[in-house]
Amino acid sequence: AQSVAQPEDQVNVAEGNPLTVKCTYSVSGNPYLFWYVQYPNRGLQFLLKYITGDNLVKGSYGFEAEFNKSQTSFHLKKPSALVSDSALYFCAVRENAGNNRKLIWGLGTSLAVNP
Amino acid sequence: ETGVTQTPRHLVMGMTNKKSLKCEQHLGHNAMYWYKQSAKKPLELMFVYSLEERVENNSVPSRFSPECPNSSHLFLHLHTLQPEDSALYLCASSQDHHRDYEQYFGPGTRLTVT
C-alpha cells in the first residue's frame, strides 16, 4: 500500500540558516512526488514535483528537493530560510503506474523560522 | 491563488440546514477536486471530476452531494451535517486528473456545524 511519512510535526530554524523538511514514502512502483505549502488561512500551494529525470528538483520561492530512491525519501530544502517561509508543508506521493491514481498526503510539518 | 476561488470563506450551519459551497477555477483545467482538511489528519479526497464527469467518490456520506455543471465550476451541497463534519473544505483543480499533474487549491471554506 502507498504511504507517505513526515516524521517531524514541527521544525524550527533561525532566519538565514538552511532548512530541511523530511519526507519518506512507500509505493509499489516508481513514485510521483510533490511538495505543497499552506500559509495560515489559505489553501495549499504547489511548490515542486519529481516525475522523472534529475534527482534534484528546484521549485518556487527558492525551495528544492532531492529524490533519493534508495532511501525512499524526498526531503525539502532551502539554503537560507526566511521568516516568511513559516507555514505548514505537505508531502504527497502517487504511483506512476497501475490503476491506483490516488494521491497520498502526509500529515504536514509546521515550519517556524525565527528572526 | 486567484486561479481557484471558493465561496463562502466561512460558514456556520445547524445540523438541519442545507447549504452549498461553490468553487470556480480560472485556469482552463479539466479536473476538479473536493478535499476535507481536519486537524491532525491527512488531507481527505472526497470527489474528483474530470470534464464534468465524476471519476472518483471516496466513500463520502450522502449528506455531501457534489455537482459539476461545467469544467470551471464545482459545488458541494450540504444537508443534515454532523458536528464532526466541521473542517476546512478545499477545492482544487489540475490540468488533467492523470497522476503527474500538480493541483491548484482555493483558499477553502471553513465550515462549522453546530
Side-chain angles (χ1 to χ4, degrees):
Chain A
Q2 299 178 107
S3 67
V4 60
Q6 294 181 242
E8 300 155 317
D9 288 340
Q10 178 140 355
V11 171
N12 294 294
V13 298
E15 187 175 28
N17 282 3
L19 70 86
T20 298
V21 183
K22 296 179 181 177
C23 173
T24 58
Y25 66 89
S26 174
V27 296
S28 301
N30 291 320
Y32 290 150
L33 292 153
F34 302 81
W35 275 104
Y36 289 80
V37 60
Q38 186 176 29
Y39 298 102
N41 301 314
R42 307 278 284 276
L44 280 70
Q45 292 181 36
F46 168 72
L47 276 179
L48 50 79
K49 66 181 178 183
Y50 172 81
I51 302 300
T52 188
D54 195 347
N55 289 344
L56 184 64
V57 179
K58 294 189 184 295
S60 306
Y61 312 121
F63 284 93
E64 58 188 29
E66 185 166 13
F67 170 60
N68 188 319
K69 188 171 184 177
S70 63
Q71 297 186 3
T72 61
S73 68
F74 190 56
H75 300 331
L76 182 70
K77 299 183 179 185
K78 187 172 182 180
S80 178
L82 300 172
V83 173
S84 57
D85 292 329
S86 299
L88 194 54
Y89 290 81
F90 291 93
C91 181
V93 66
R94 180 189 275 149
E95 288 182 354
N96 72 0
N99 294 326
N100 192 348
R101 298 169 182 252
K102 198 168 183 178
L103 190 62
I104 304 299
W105 295 84
L107 289 175
T109 298
S110 179
L111 172 67
V113 181
N114 307 305
Chain B
E1 248 188 61
T2 55
V4 181
T5 57
Q6 289 187 245
T7 54
R9 294 293 306 274
H10 300 272
L11 178 61
V12 179
M13 60 185 289
M15 288 190 284
T16 58
N17 290 158
K18 289 185 180 181
K19 295 286 184 184
S20 295
L21 309 185
K22 179 183 175 182
C23 175
E24 184 173 358
Q25 60 99 357
H26 311 272
L27 300 169
H29 289 166
N30 291 328
M32 296 187 78
Y33 310 77
W34 279 117
Y35 284 92
K36 178 183 179 182
Q37 186 178 29
S38 305
K40 307 296 183 186
K41 290 186 178 180
L43 211 57
E44 297 176 46
L45 178 63
M46 300 174 73
F47 302 104
V48 181
Y49 277 82
S50 177
L51 295 171
E52 302 136 52
E53 279 192 36
R54 191 187 308 181
V55 295
E56 247 181 88
N57 176 354
N58 291 289
S59 303
V60 179
S62 60
R63 56 186 184 268
F64 295 92
S65 174
E67 179 190 358
C68 188
N70 55 62
S71 59
S72 298
H73 293 85
L74 186 64
F75 294 90
L76 188 62
H77 304 299
L78 316 171
H79 64 97
T80 59
L81 293 191
Q82 304 298 310
E84 60 265 28
D85 297 322
S86 299
L88 183 67
Y89 287 84
L90 293 166
C91 174
S93 71
S94 64
Q95 186 171 337
D96 196 284
H97 75 288
H98 292 309
R99 57 194 85 227
D100 59 341
Y101 288 113
E102 64 271 22
Q103 296 176 15
Y104 292 81
F105 286 79
T109 295
R110 174 67 63 185
L111 174 66
T112 303
V113 181
T114 61

